[in-house]
Amino acid sequence: MFTFNPNQLYFFDGAMGTMLQSRGLKLREIPEILNLTNPELIRSIHEEYKQAGANFITANTFGANRFKLSKSNHSVQKIIEAGAKLARQAAGNDAFVVLDIGSTGRVMSPAGDASFGEIYDAIAEMVNAGKNLCDVILLETFTDLYELRTAILAARENSDLPIFATMSFEESGRTFFGASVETMTATLEGLGISALGVNCSLGPAQLVPIVQRICECSHIPVMVQPNAGLPVMRDGVSHYDVTPEEFAKISVEFAKMGVNILGGCCGTTPEHIALMKNAVLNFSPDENVIKRNIKDETIICSASKLVKFGKKFIVIGERLNPTGKKLLQKALREGDVDYLLKEAVKQQDQGADVLDLNTGLPDIDEAEVLTSSLMAVQGIVNLPVQIDSSNYQALESAARVYNGKPLLNSVNGKAESLEKILPIAKKYGACVLGLTLDDRGIPETAEERYEIAKRIVDEAEKLGIPRRNILIDCLTLTASAQQKLVPETLKAIKLVKENLGVCTILGLSNVSFGLPRRPLVNRTMLIAAIMNGLDAAIINPGDIDLKETLSAWNLLTGDEEDMQNYISFCEKHPANASSNVQAQTQAINPVTAPENLNSAIARGLKDDAANLTRELLKSHKPLEIIEKNIVPALDEVGKSYETGKLFLPQLIKSAEAAKSAFEVLTLSMDKNETGKAKGPVILATVYGDVHDIGKNIVRTIFENYNFDVIDLGRDVPPEKIIETAEREKVNVVGLSALMTTTVASMKDTITKLKASRPNVKVIAGGAVLTPELAKFAGADYYAKDAMEGVRILTGLFE
């Protein structure tokens, strides 16, 4: 059995797919089925990598999932068993066999239609098929952090094998779904895996800054498997442009950064691996890994947004808690998710860094409601969430489906709480908030509260929860009833901060309960607590008094950027704003004012978009609403997506909100009005290419931007595209290719299509496509993503 040594260098093999393509893999042929139909070919490639010096032989099982094999006559079990045995034969006794598992190709809810359970079950099936025949599990080429997190849970809960996990990044340092290097690292490193990193995506030179960032923040070993550069056309054939010598040279740079595991992805060959290993071992002949100095920072995150405690003061929005909020209680009981989402969006707009989410009501299924509410909120806003519940089952249920690294609220000093909550935090790699109370209640003295905090920290560390993942709330009491105990809270914060070194949080507003001018008391307590070491507070982010005080505090203790933020705050909030009773009331009341349609679309609020469209129809014509509201909103969303302010999940939600508005308008339009869908346009993944995740996302965006889409699916022969174009009188065709070998198929399709319909315009896209490859294939336009496709279509149909 393989035992991973984090101080040792390891060498993986290289590409399987492009090696098979170079040896005659046919279009439409599923590589994994060759384990059964041509085992000698698979074994020979494994043996070449073994001879090149690879310590790990990766079984040909990457895409052997139930979704990809659904139309074949072969089972997941048989394909994986055969692949693992072939790898074992080549590995012999001095190399290890890797169960290779790639992305399923499905998009998970709420951005797509695949549930957590569906993805979990598909990965678990692959793990169970190969776990007794392999030494390591490799989860690679994921672009959706949520899917990879789900896959890790499936692998951990169904086997004891070491797990390596890698994602594919774009040059921006984000994945296709918007995860950053830092959110990936924060999310994955606490899930019990042995190594994390990056594969595929780009060539080694382009990956250097990405790998550097991973090495600077990952507390666990790092793995890198670059492509052999980028695909280029030479003599009518697609090739990768990085030589084995260049590949080896940059691999040494990775080793100098402290990378533990090196290998290759698309386009790499046994020669790439052999030269890479020789070069790295010349640099480090003892095969020791360069040690990395990693900061211990307290971090939580969503898939796309990271929040660090300890530097900037963190505001945790308190408004998603039904305590004392009758409208929110009503919404939770009635399943009114839209109300919850509007409140979440409002707090994000008001400047909250984190949202506290609590659905604790005595007459609901809290586990189900908390979990569904969490998924809905994470589908709309990109802020991290503090999952708040005293119900152990509800807390674990929500932590399980969380997309990112959550903060669990909370554990306390009671034995039962420590026994129930800390294992949840450990299992899901979460941060956990400790409350300084135990069976005695909240102690009166600071020293007693400190002792409870220390007990929580000690018990967490015994379980392997690092101190950076622990935060403490020293609990403020009401000044009106227990005035003399307020200073004890401040003293306790200082003791915890100075002696335990963990970050601190305070639920602030309790201190002013029952007193006049509560905002004045709250903001005074806030500054006193900050001066004693407070890092974050659970407050109303719409409270102008508190925001004003925080802005001034940051000015006095921060840098030039904080000064500019203060000036900007003062411009937005005139001097009398904080004393304006009406402004304060609006800030602390639940959401009552309706969104405008543009805002509802931008925020992805489907129900609001439909309802506001109905209201606008009372005074405006449908086309006027389209031109003045829907189109400008979509344009603004598109710009935000392209500039990195929004990411794919938010883009899809905004498009769905626009679609709900269109559906309302369609019912009221006259036949002569021109607001009908634009098109038609054909979408298809070209013949021989069975990947369609990108094409499916493009279809969703196109349809929600009111284009009439004819989706022919994947692996589509040219004749079917031509026949459909002629029958439906289609003049625009979008083609996708995700494998280098199918670029030739795209060229063949376009040639035949142009011969039949000379005036047709072809838009080409896909993971392997570049402007040069699209031009080589004969496309009229190259679209790097769905929004680029929308712009091209808009121009064509206008």
Side-chain angles (χ1 to χ4, degrees):
M1 180 177 176
F2 170 69
T3 301
F4 183 70
N5 179 357
N7 298 313
Q8 181 180 334
L9 281 166
Y10 294 99
F11 300 93
F12 262 61
D13 50 10
M16 172 59 76
T18 46
M19 287 284 286
L20 290 173
Q21 291 162 10
S22 68
R23 300 185 186 190
L25 180 70
K26 297 177 182 178
L27 289 177
R28 309 184 77 184
E29 199 168 9
I30 298 175
E32 292 79 12
I33 291 179
L34 294 176
N35 295 339
L36 300 173
T37 61
N38 195 349
E40 288 302 320
L41 174 59
I42 302 300
R43 186 188 298 111
S44 67
I45 293 173
H46 287 326
E47 288 172 346
E48 288 182 42
Y49 280 123
K50 172 68 182 308
Q51 293 169 7
N55 305 130
F56 294 85
I57 303 301
T58 307
N60 181 35
T61 55
F62 175 83
N65 61 69
R66 60 176 61 171
F67 307 117
K68 186 174 180 180
L69 297 177
S70 61
K71 294 183 179 179
S72 75
N73 295 321
H74 304 286
S75 70
V76 171
Q77 183 78 27
K78 288 183 179 179
I79 293 289
I80 289 181
E81 283 183 354
K85 289 176 180 177
L86 290 170
R88 179 66 68 191
Q89 291 168 11
N93 297 320
D94 54 348
F96 301 101
V97 174
V98 180
L99 174 60
D100 191 19
I101 299 176
S103 168
T104 63
R106 300 286 301 280
V107 179
M108 291 184 68
S109 177
D113 61 357
S115 70
F116 177 94
E118 286 178 302
I119 300 302
Y120 180 97
D121 290 345
I123 300 297
E125 181 180 28
M126 297 179 73
V127 169
N128 285 317
K131 65 183 180 182
N132 294 324
L133 299 168
C134 299
D135 304 298
V136 175
I137 296 172
L138 172 62
L139 302 168
E140 64 170 338
T141 327
F142 284 76
T143 58
D144 183 356
L145 183 60
Y146 195 21
E147 184 187 20
L148 179 52
R149 185 179 184 275
T150 305
I152 290 172
L153 291 177
R156 274 186 57 203
E157 293 174 355
N158 288 277
S159 83
D160 296 322
L161 297 180
I163 301 168
F164 300 158
T166 59
M167 298 192 77
S168 293
F169 290 89
E170 299 174 0
E171 285 193 75
S172 65
R174 290 191 179 269
T175 71
F176 182 53
F177 281 83
S180 69
V181 164
E182 290 76 15
T183 59
M184 174 199 73
T185 303
T187 299
L188 301 187
E189 66 178 10
L191 293 177
I193 61 176
S194 296
L196 59 78
V198 57
N199 80 296
C200 202
S201 323
L202 303 162
Q206 292 84 9
L207 282 184
V208 166
I210 292 173
V211 174
Q212 183 66 56
R213 285 167 59 186
I214 296 174
C215 289
E216 288 172 355
C217 61
S218 174
H219 293 83
I220 67 174
V222 175
M223 177 176 187
V224 180
Q225 290 187 290
N227 288 344
L230 301 173
V232 295
M233 298 306 299
R234 191 164 57 242
D235 301 326
V237 180
S238 177
H239 297 274
Y240 284 83
D241 62 357
V242 171
T243 66
E245 291 78 11
E246 294 170 319
F247 191 87
K249 182 178 180 181
I250 300 177
S251 295
V252 173
E253 296 305 309
F254 293 145
K256 290 179 180 178
M257 295 177 191
V259 171
N260 302 70
I261 305 166
L262 292 157
C265 203
C266 300
T268 56
T269 65
E271 187 178 2
H272 285 84
I273 301 305
L275 292 184
M276 172 193 74
K277 183 173 183 178
N278 288 337
V280 171
L281 290 184
N282 282 336
F283 160 70
S284 179
D286 56 4
E287 300 187 38
N288 286 339
V289 175
I290 298 295
K291 293 190 180 299
R292 296 177 284 116
N293 294 318
I294 312 300
K295 292 181 181 178
D296 262 353
E297 296 179 301
T298 299
I299 291 171
I300 63 172
C301 67
S302 64
S304 59
K305 186 173 181 62
L306 193 86
V307 169
K308 293 182 181 181
F309 292 82
K311 183 179 179 183
K312 173 183 176 291
F313 190 83
I314 302 302
V315 173
I316 302 174
E318 68 180 8
R319 302 300 301 168
L320 297 182
N321 186 321
T323 303
K325 304 180 186 71
K326 293 182 179 180
L327 290 177
L328 181 55
Q329 292 174 14
K330 182 175 182 289
L332 290 173
R333 290 189 176 103
E334 296 178 355
D336 182 3
V337 177
D338 212 48
Y339 181 93
L340 191 77
L341 297 182
K342 285 191 288 184
E343 187 60 75
V345 167
K346 183 177 180 181
Q347 289 188 98
Q348 178 174 253
D349 291 347
Q350 290 170 335
D353 300 298
V354 180
L355 297 181
D356 180 85
L357 178 62
N358 183 307
T359 63
L361 291 173
D363 52 348
I364 66 172
D365 182 346
E366 188 179 352
E368 192 281 325
V369 174
L370 181 60
T371 300
S372 60
S373 297
L374 173 66
M375 295 181 70
V377 167
Q378 286 208 294
I380 292 294
V381 301
N382 69 344
L383 297 180
V385 175
Q386 175 175 272
I387 304 172
D388 186 356
S389 178
S390 58
N391 181 314
Y392 305 142
Q393 182 183 355
L395 202 64
E396 174 156 22
S397 178
R400 186 170 182 79
V401 301
Y402 185 87
N403 188 5
K405 179 182 180 180
L407 171 57
L408 304 185
N409 182 11
S410 56
V411 68
N412 59 56
K414 296 178 182 179
E416 181 184 11
S417 179
L418 293 168
E419 291 170 3
K420 296 285 188 180
I421 301 299
L422 291 181
I424 297 174
K426 170 65 175 174
K427 179 176 181 179
Y428 297 106
C431 283
V432 62
L433 178 60
L435 307 184
T436 54
L437 63 86
D438 57 16
D439 294 307
R440 300 168 294 173
I442 303 174
E444 291 190 354
T445 70
E447 289 77 12
E448 289 174 302
R449 294 188 214 180
Y450 168 76
E451 287 303 321
I452 295 174
K454 186 176 185 303
R455 188 189 317 154
I456 292 170
V457 171
D458 289 345
E459 291 301 314
E461 289 188 318
K462 286 179 185 177
L463 274 182
I465 299 173
R467 193 167 292 209
R468 63 179 178 272
N469 282 356
I470 307 164
L471 301 95
I472 295 294
D473 185 341
C474 292
L475 299 174
T476 184
L477 300 173
T478 56
S480 59
Q482 296 166 297
Q483 183 182 4
K484 293 183 178 179
L485 297 187
V486 173
E488 294 300 313
T489 297
L490 300 175
K491 185 179 177 182
I493 292 172
K494 189 171 184 179
L495 286 172
V496 167
K497 192 71 176 177
E498 291 181 350
N499 295 292
L500 297 179
V502 298
C503 290
T504 57
I505 292 177
L506 200 61
L508 190 71
S509 58
N510 190 47
V511 71
S512 63
F513 184 78
L515 292 171
R517 297 189 64 184
R518 291 187 66 184
L520 173 60
V521 178
N522 289 342
R523 63 177 173 173
T524 304
M525 180 66 177
L526 176 64
I527 293 304
I530 291 175
M531 293 182 71
N532 281 278
L534 188 68
D535 298 293
I538 305 171
I539 60 177
N540 174 14
D543 187 323
I544 297 175
D545 278 323
L546 282 175
K547 291 171 67 175
E548 179 181 72
T549 302
L550 272 176
S551 184
W553 172 263
N554 290 333
L555 161 71
L556 296 174
T557 59
D559 53 24
E560 188 173 333
E561 182 181 350
D562 292 304
M563 180 180 293
Q564 294 304 316
N565 290 336
Y566 173 76
I567 293 171
S568 176
F569 177 87
C570 292
E571 290 173 349
K572 293 178 182 177
H573 303 281
N576 64 344
S578 62
S579 60
N580 185 313
V581 176
Q582 184 180 1
Q584 284 295 314
T585 302
Q586 289 176 348
I588 62 176
N589 276 349
V591 177
T592 54
E595 300 269 355
N596 62 55
L597 179 57
N598 302 54
S599 177
I601 291 172
R603 292 176 165 111
L605 299 172
K606 292 172 61 177
D607 291 347
D608 262 18
N611 292 333
L612 289 165
T613 301
R614 294 186 187 98
E615 286 297 312
L616 284 172
L617 279 171
K618 295 177 181 178
S619 55
H620 297 75
K621 293 182 179 181
L623 289 183
E624 186 180 354
I625 296 172
I626 293 172
E627 293 169 359
K628 293 185 177 180
N629 298 94
I630 298 178
V631 171
L634 289 174
D635 287 344
E636 191 61 33
V637 168
K639 290 176 184 176
S640 296
Y641 173 73
E642 291 171 344
T643 56
K645 295 178 182 177
L646 291 179
F647 304 102
L648 185 63
Q650 288 80 32
L651 177 66
I652 291 175
K653 285 295 180 182
S654 294
E656 289 175 348
K659 184 178 181 180
S660 71
F662 272 122
E663 288 171 349
V664 172
L665 293 176
T666 301
L667 296 175
S668 63
M669 282 182 177
D670 296 330
K671 292 182 179 179
N672 294 328
E673 291 190 89
T674 58
K676 62 184 180 180
K678 301 178 288 290
V681 55
I682 287 174
L683 286 183
T685 302
V686 296
Y687 182 75
D689 202 318
V690 296
H691 302 85
D692 62 358
I693 184 171
K695 185 265 299 171
N696 291 343
I697 290 170
V698 169
R699 180 196 66 217
T700 299
I701 299 299
F702 281 9
E703 288 179 342
N704 292 339
Y705 271 70
N706 209 32
F707 290 101
D708 179 14
V709 178
I710 301 172
D711 185 355
L712 297 183
R714 60 188 182 183
D715 189 20
V716 184
E719 294 74 21
K720 184 175 181 180
I721 296 174
I722 294 168
E723 175 191 342
T724 306
E726 291 178 345
R727 184 180 68 250
E728 303 294 334
K729 297 181 173 54
V730 176
N731 291 316
V732 181
V733 174
L735 297 178
S736 171
L738 275 86
M739 300 190 301
T740 54
T741 51
T742 53
V743 174
S745 179
M746 179 179 283
K747 180 177 178 63
D748 179 58
T749 298
I750 295 174
T751 300
K752 291 178 179 177
L753 181 59
K754 293 279 190 178
S756 174
R757 295 181 64 80
N759 294 326
V760 75
K761 298 298 182 183
V762 178
I763 306 170
V768 300
L769 264 288
T770 61
E772 292 74 22
L773 289 179
K775 182 178 180 181
F776 165 81
D780 299 285
Y781 302 93
Y782 164 71
K784 70 181 188 301
D785 55 35
M787 287 308 305
E788 179 72 18
V790 167
R791 277 203 306 276
I792 294 169
L793 284 181
T794 300
L796 287 172
F797 286 112
E798 285 179 351

